[in-house]
Amino acid sequence: MNLVKTPLSLGYTLVDLLLTALAWFVFCYLLATGMHSILQGAALGHASSLVSRLLPDLHTLLAYACVAVGIDLLLLVWARYNTLRFGGLDRRKPRPPLSAAALAASFEISPDLLEALHASQGLRIHHTDAGQISKIDFTPQRQIAAGNVLRILR
């Protein structure tokens, strides 16, 4: 598998690193604060046990786990269905080449004019506001810009 890696700008990378570091700092702070309060309650000798204090949270975590398993099962069923239905198809094949007649029909020009367009070295195509070809100027010369000098080839 080929991965395309686009180089990122320095500003984007710095913002990404800053937000990631901030998220990790907040996560660690909340985790440490929660652990500290649990351990402090245990050290003060509260009558309730640690399990009884965490029990309401365990019900919530169990509900989250059930939802996650349900979503996983739904995605698994969907993937199996797509494999069975579209298993042998490859939708990424290139389109077949366009014939000259179909290309001329798509631009609403004659096949002879299309052949002349292919054979010309230089031309200017004018379009209407609707995108239709309104006028074609065939130029017998081709201009090539080379540095600061404009050469005309015959």
Side-chain angles (χ1 to χ4, degrees), residues 1 4 7 19 25 30 38 41 44 50 54 62 77 80 97 107 111 126 132 151:
M1 179 200 303
V4 177
L19 290 176
F25 174 75
L30 291 174
I38 289 172
L44 293 176
L50 180 63
L54 292 178
L62 181 62
V77 168
R80 294 293 179 197
F107 285 113
H126 302 272
Q132 307 276 330
R151 297 183 304 159

Side-chain angles (χ1 to χ4, degrees), residues 11-81:
Y12 180 81
T13 304
L14 289 176
V15 168
D16 185 42
L17 287 173
L18 179 70
L19 290 176
T20 302
L22 181 65
W24 275 107
F25 174 75
V26 169
F27 171 74
C28 291
Y29 172 76
L30 291 174
L31 183 67
T33 304
M35 289 293 183
H36 177 68
S37 66
I38 289 172
L39 293 175
Q40 186 179 14
L44 293 176
H46 290 292
S48 62
S49 67
L50 180 63
V51 175
S52 65
R53 281 185 282 150
L54 292 178
L55 196 57
D57 295 332
L58 290 178
H59 289 297
T60 303
L61 289 176
L62 181 62
Y64 287 158
C66 289
V67 168
V69 167
I71 290 172
D72 288 344
L73 288 175
L74 183 67
L75 288 174
L76 181 68
V77 168
W78 181 253
R80 294 293 179 197
Y81 166 74

Side-chain angles (χ1 to χ4, degrees), residues 84-105:
L84 291 174
R85 183 168 181 211
F86 304 110
L89 299 179
D90 186 9
R91 295 177 291 187
R92 293 180 222 131
K93 291 180 182 174
R95 288 186 170 183
L98 193 61
S99 68
L103 182 62

